[in-house]
């Protein structure tokens, strides 16, 4: 019989947030795969867990995942933990999950803490709809493209950022998104938890004078649908109906579909588009 993979969520700060189920699996597993064994050993020692550990991180994730899959195929049970929070969320664990599915290894996730969700719930911003970007890419071109996509995002946006890059990222956000409401969250679940509710430009001013400390979770207000619609209408206003139709027809659309798109862009009915073209 093949073994199994357990994705074990661990505390992001307060050790009391670990679940009884995670503690049981960490004790019963044959092996714990940890992103940083030096960090995880503190957790294991605190709860007197003696299960053997192995290192699984961003730089060995492909090769090590193959090794772990082989061990599970031989019948071993593996518990995967990240530095803090839920494995596979902005974490190399997603590679191991992928390889387990390819090999037919059963797996399950043991729910628990996640910094992005914790920050969202205490941000004071809308939590009904949100998008999670984790850390923005370091590649300039890719970073620029993602920021461009976020410009029109109507959902609440969640981003992770390191203290030494925080001011730069805030400036880029202000240039692309404009001045929006933002909550900067750090030390979540810890004794000195802090949620700083402000605007992007005000945050830039603050951290220009005060060096940021600690990794931050940025929760940013999405663009309002009203504002998005106004921008779209302003953008199409310079085109005649015929030019607007030609824009979509040139992309290979059928006339009926092009009329539907024009009506959507301009906030009018298809009948009005039809009559205007006549």
């Amino acid at each position: 019989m093949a073994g199994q993979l357990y994705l074990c969520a661990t505390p992001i700060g307060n050790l009391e947030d670990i679940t009884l189920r995670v503690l049981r699996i960490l004790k019963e597993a044959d092996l714990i795969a940890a992103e940083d064994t030096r960090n995880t050993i503190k957790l294991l020692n605190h709860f007197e867990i003696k299960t053997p550990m192995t290192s699984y991180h961003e730089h060995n994730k492909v090769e090590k995942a193959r090794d772990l899959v082989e061990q599970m195929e031989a019948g071993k049970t593996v518990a995967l933990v990240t530095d803090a929070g839920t494995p596979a969320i902005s974490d190399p664990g997603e590679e191991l999950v992928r390889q387990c599915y390819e090999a037919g290894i059963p797996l399950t996730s043991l729910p628990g803490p996640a910094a992005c969700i914790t920050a969202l719930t205490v941000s004071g911003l809308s939590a009904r709809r949100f998008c999670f970007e984790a850390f923005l890419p370091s590649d300039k071109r890719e970073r620029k493209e993602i920021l461009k996509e976020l410009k029109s995002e109507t959902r609440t946006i969640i981003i992770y950022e390191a203290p030494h890059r925080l001011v730069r990222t805030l400036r880029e956000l202000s240039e692309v998104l404009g001045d929006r409401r933002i909550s900067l969250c750090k030390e979540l679940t810890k004794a000195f938890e802090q949620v700083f509710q402000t605007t992007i430009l005000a945050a830039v001013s603050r951290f220009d004078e005060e060096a940021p400390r600690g990794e931050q979770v940025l929760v940013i207000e999405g663009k309002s649908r009203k504002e998005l619609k106004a921008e779209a209408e302003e953008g199409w206003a310079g085109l005649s109906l015929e030019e607007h139709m030609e824009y979509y027809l040139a992309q290979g659309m059928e006339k009926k579909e092009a009329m539907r798109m024009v009506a959507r862009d301009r906030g009018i009915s298809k009948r009005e588009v039809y009559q205007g073209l006549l």
Side-chain angles (χ1 to χ4, degrees), residues 173-193:
L173 289 170
S174 69
E175 291 168 3
V176 178
L177 307 183
D179 194 23
R180 300 191 193 177
R181 289 193 298 161
I182 183 173
S183 290
L184 294 95
C185 310
K186 69 173 184 176
E187 300 292 313
L188 291 168
T189 77
K190 299 179 183 178
F192 299 103
E193 175 177 294

Side-chain angles (χ1 to χ4, degrees), residues 85-216:
T86 301
I89 301 297
S90 184
D91 174 78
E94 63 180 342
E95 173 64 24
L96 180 55
V97 169
R98 184 185 67 79
Q99 290 198 30
C100 280
Y101 273 115
E102 289 179 350
I105 300 293
L107 60 92
T108 189
S109 180
L110 280 57
C116 55
I117 299 300
T118 304
L120 177 65
T121 58
V122 298
S123 68
L125 297 174
S126 174
R128 190 179 72 84
R129 299 170 63 249
F130 65 93
C131 68
F132 175 55
E133 281 294 337
F135 287 94
L136 292 173
S138 54
D139 179 79
K140 289 184 178 179
R141 181 175 295 180
E142 187 181 359
R143 187 181 181 94
K144 186 177 180 180
E145 286 300 313
I146 287 179
L147 286 171
K148 184 179 178 182
E149 291 172 7
L150 293 178
K151 183 178 181 179
S152 301
E153 180 59 69
T154 58
R155 295 171 294 178
T156 300
I157 303 162
I158 307 172
I159 294 173
Y160 290 161
E161 194 51 278
H164 64 281
R165 293 193 299 262
L166 181 61
V167 174
R168 168 197 165 191
T169 296
L170 287 170
R171 285 203 178 99
E172 289 177 330
L173 289 170
S174 69
E175 291 168 3
V176 178
L177 307 183
D179 194 23
R180 300 191 193 177
R181 289 193 298 161
I182 183 173
S183 290
L184 294 95
C185 310
K186 69 173 184 176
E187 300 292 313
L188 291 168
T189 77
K190 299 179 183 178
F192 299 103
E193 175 177 294
Q194 183 181 84
V195 180
F196 176 39
Q197 295 178 313
T198 183
T199 65
I200 297 176
L201 288 177
V204 171
S205 298
R206 170 174 174 167
F207 292 116
D208 270 339
E209 299 176 0
E210 172 191 325
R213 294 182 180 180
E215 191 171 290
Q216 305 266 354

Side-chain angles (χ1 to χ4, degrees), residues 22-80:
V22 167
L23 287 176
R24 177 175 62 81
I25 293 299
L26 291 178
K27 290 176 181 178
E28 295 177 356
D30 296 304
L31 183 65
I32 296 173
E35 186 176 9
D36 188 336
T37 55
R38 296 166 301 179
N39 185 56
T40 301
I41 193 63
K42 299 174 186 177
L43 177 73
L44 300 186
N45 287 341
H46 181 83
F47 291 105
E48 300 180 348
I49 297 171
K50 307 298 183 182
T51 307
M53 269 196 303
T54 188
S55 180
Y56 176 83
H57 50 74
E58 182 64 31
H59 304 293
N60 73 351
K61 63 182 181 182
V62 177
E63 298 80 8
K64 193 56 177 279
R66 293 194 193 105
D67 174 61
L68 291 171
V69 166
E70 287 177 2
Q71 293 191 57
M72 285 183 277
E73 286 177 328
K76 283 192 175 183
T77 297
V78 175
L80 178 68

Side-chain angles (χ1 to χ4, degrees), residues 236 244-245 247-249 251 253-268 270 273:
W236 296 116
H244 201 158
M245 277 288 292
Y247 171 80
Y248 287 116
L249 293 173
Q251 297 177 39
M253 279 190 188
E254 295 292 332
K255 189 173 181 181
K256 188 175 181 180
E257 177 63 13
M259 288 177 67
R260 188 185 71 80
M261 294 297 290
V262 171
R264 186 204 66 175
D265 292 343
R266 292 177 176 256
I268 58 179
K270 285 193 293 183
V273 174

